[in-house]
Amino acid sequence: EVQLVESGGGLVQPGGSLRLSCVVSGFTFSSYSMDWVRQAPGKGLEWVSYISSSSSTIYYADSVKGRFTISRDNAKNSLYLQMNSLRDEDTAVYYCARDYGTVVGVFDPWGQGTLVTVSS
Amino acid sequence: DIQMTQSPSSLSASVGDRVTITCQASQDISNYLNWYQQKPGKAPKLLIYDASNLESGVPSRFSGSGSGTDFTFTISSLQPEDIATYFCQQYDNLPITFGQGTRLEIK
């Protein structure tokens, strides 16, 4: 069974940092690109970042560029999102998702999400 | 950025009804369009990819059509377990963008 399990969310003050992790199982992690997608409470979905299977290609949404860093460790079947200089508007459930297509953007499946709350 | 406009934003229908949701892109995205279902408190689930292809394991009452800028998502016969919010998503250009969602309720 394919599983993606996020962790690392929590309450952080504005300007603070947090590192999210996503551990996967049930498929060959090193063969797939991965993404982070977030959802503010009661709101829609916002794509955050993409990383290719070998980490050679990385993309970010403009809203997080320069503050967030995506990375992966294929030996540990793990995806990461380092979030620095956090803002109130970064408050959201963060999902990791396998990028299933031949181009960026077919998300299947998704993890259960981890909640990040940025507040003083 | 490509804007994705879904309509309606909410919809109430009866079990057995045919339900249709539309999604319009602000520019031509060919068929680079996916549909996701999100049940309350759960992660989104891919239902339709490349505008009209049914993901494996998804019931055949779900379907999608369209290309270019105008797309349609249909549930042929609404079931109680279909209560959810549905999102369209384009992946023709970065940044990947989603529609605002359509909340589907049972009448």
Side-chain angles (χ1 to χ4, degrees):
Chain A
E1 181 190 5
V2 173
Q3 280 197 317
L4 295 81
V5 180
E6 302 95 334
S7 62
L11 176 63
V12 61
Q13 292 187 337
S17 298
L18 215 52
R19 189 195 196 206
L20 306 184
S21 299
C22 170
V23 178
V24 314
S25 59
F27 66 97
T28 305
F29 180 65
S30 59
S31 296
Y32 288 89
S33 301
M34 298 291 295
D35 296 80
W36 289 98
V37 179
R38 68 184 180 182
Q39 186 171 35
K43 301 297 184 182
L45 298 163
E46 179 187 16
W47 170 78
V48 172
S49 185
Y50 162 93
I51 186 168
S52 63
S53 58
S54 64
S55 303
S56 60
T57 302
I58 286 174
Y59 302 118
Y60 296 100
D62 285 347
S63 58
V64 306
K65 198 174 296 182
R67 301 187 299 121
F68 289 12
T69 302
I70 191 171
S71 63
R72 65 191 293 161
D73 186 335
N74 287 343
K76 295 183 177 179
N77 284 354
S78 294
L79 174 72
Y80 307 103
L81 187 67
Q82 178 67 44
M83 304 185 296
N84 299 331
S85 304
L86 282 162
R87 306 167 179 167
D88 290 351
E89 55 265 34
D90 295 318
T91 294
V93 174
Y94 285 73
Y95 297 100
C96 63
R98 183 175 67 175
D99 205 305
Y100 195 66
T102 55
V103 296
V104 180
V106 181
F107 307 131
D108 182 47
W110 303 48
Q112 87 288 349
T114 187
L115 177 62
V116 172
T117 303
V118 183
S119 174
S120 54
Chain B
D1 298 4
I2 297 176
Q3 307 302 317
M4 305 300 294
T5 304
Q6 264 183 260
S7 63
S9 56
S10 64
L11 176 57
S12 182
S14 301
V15 172
D17 281 355
R18 182 180 184 87
V19 171
T20 298
I21 299 169
T22 63
C23 182
Q24 185 170 59
S26 60
Q27 66 187 67
D28 189 335
I29 60 169
S30 185
N31 66 332
Y32 293 110
L33 190 283
N34 301 324
W35 290 96
Y36 297 87
Q37 175 193 64
Q38 185 177 32
K39 296 185 177 181
K42 300 295 186 181
K45 174 187 175 183
L46 177 68
L47 298 182
I48 303 285
Y49 64 95
D50 292 349
S52 60
N53 292 307
L54 193 68
E55 175 67 349
S56 176
V58 173
S60 59
R61 63 180 180 274
F62 297 99
S63 65
S65 64
S67 66
T69 60
D70 295 302
F71 301 87
T72 300
F73 172 82
T74 300
I75 306 174
S76 60
S77 178
L78 185 66
Q79 299 302 303
E81 60 266 31
D82 299 336
I83 299 312
T85 299
Y86 293 85
F87 295 93
C88 63
Q89 172 238 323
Q90 69 80 23
Y91 61 107
D92 182 57
N93 275 346
L94 292 178
I96 293 160
T97 49
F98 293 84
Q100 79 278 16
T102 296
R103 185 174 178 180
L104 180 55
E105 300 175 337
I106 292 286
K107 194 181 293 183

